[in-house]
Amino acid sequence: MRRRRSREPAPLDIEYKAKSTDDSPDQTLTITNNTETAVRPTLEFVAFNMYGAEMPDIEVRTVLGTHLGAALLPGHATMQDILRFDGPAARDVRGVQVRLVEVEEVEHPTLDENLRAVMVDLDQKATLEPEDFWGVGVANANPFGVQVRVALVAFEDKVRDSPQQVEDVVTLEGDIELASQSHEVVWLPDNVRGLFHHVAWCLVPQDLV
């Protein structure tokens, strides 16, 4: 009897989900690094409608810049990005084809604990309400420092059962340098308070400007 060989996992697993089944955002991209090496992946996308037809006039970008190779993904870690669609009939996108353009290896330790970045109110308590969103709380429980890039995301109003689309993104000026076993609150300027619904974040190399 021939013994079946077990398949080695792909270096990166990439999963796109148009519709969330919980309170998380729609149009998400989950990337898992199955290796021990930290990487910066660069991704490319082709959009499709509900009938499986390619939509060449749709520009696909990401909130955290994985289409530009901007995000760092440590070994055996998972990150989530959010897709943005621009062009005619952008709201009709129901699927994407993802192509891995490049993978750059980066020196970075493996995370012992996942980082957290949440919306906080004036009392520095986590909130999901845009009107109470006064700052971003970021926590690093690892025994080493990290550099974090944070983006504020606003979504369009929901249209029936269609996936909710990104309306606006503002990346905080200057990445947040977090020491080991530390947390920080970054307060928002008056002109953006109450306008955003979600905090997205990713690690970046500490020498990346």
Side-chain angles (χ1 to χ4, degrees):
M1 179 181 295
R2 180 178 296 178
R3 180 176 296 176
R4 181 177 297 177
R5 293 182 179 179
S6 59
R7 294 181 60 185
E8 292 291 331
L12 294 180
D13 284 333
I14 304 173
E15 180 185 5
Y16 164 73
K17 183 180 290 186
K19 283 278 292 182
S20 169
T21 56
D22 52 28
D23 292 330
S24 60
D26 293 338
Q27 308 289 18
T28 56
L29 195 73
T30 302
I31 310 169
T32 301
N33 183 356
N34 295 314
T35 74
E36 297 180 356
T37 304
V39 296
R40 286 171 56 194
T42 301
L43 306 177
E44 188 175 75
F45 306 91
V46 177
F48 294 86
N49 63 20
M50 64 184 297
Y51 303 106
E54 186 175 332
M55 305 174 74
D57 295 331
I58 300 297
E59 179 187 10
V60 186
R61 295 175 292 158
T62 61
V63 166
L64 293 172
T66 48
H67 67 295
L68 301 173
L72 183 151
L73 185 57
H76 299 296
T78 297
M79 69 166 290
Q80 189 176 84
D81 207 343
I82 306 172
L83 299 188
R84 305 178 64 182
F85 305 107
D86 294 295
R91 291 183 181 84
D92 295 334
V93 175
R94 292 297 183 274
V96 294
Q97 180 186 68
V98 186
R99 185 171 77 90
L100 187 60
V101 177
E102 183 181 8
V103 179
E104 178 186 350
E105 295 186 357
V106 182
E107 289 290 336
H108 195 280
T110 302
L111 298 179
D112 294 335
E113 300 285 345
N114 288 327
L115 276 71
R116 293 189 66 220
V118 297
M119 299 158 51
V120 298
D121 60 20
L122 271 175
D123 297 322
Q124 301 188 27
K125 294 181 179 179
T127 180
L128 297 177
E129 299 300 327
E131 59 269 25
D132 296 329
F133 180 18
W134 283 67
V136 178
V138 189
N140 173 30
N142 292 281
F144 50 83
V146 295
Q147 188 160 307
V148 184
R149 184 162 296 161
V150 173
L152 314 179
V153 187
F155 298 101
E156 295 181 345
D157 293 336
K158 288 189 176 182
V159 179
R160 297 183 296 279
D161 61 345
S162 298
Q164 196 171 22
Q165 304 293 327
V166 172
E167 183 177 52
D168 192 20
V169 176
V170 170
T171 301
L172 295 188
E173 185 176 349
D175 298 329
I176 302 170
E177 294 189 10
L178 279 176
S180 62
Q181 306 285 339
S182 70
H183 67 275
E184 185 174 335
V185 172
V186 180
W187 298 109
L188 303 183
D190 292 342
N191 61 331
V192 302
R193 290 174 186 162
L195 301 179
F196 293 90
H197 310 98
H198 181 74
V199 170
W201 64 273
C202 66
L203 290 173
V204 294
Q206 294 188 333
D207 58 352
L208 183 64
V209 178

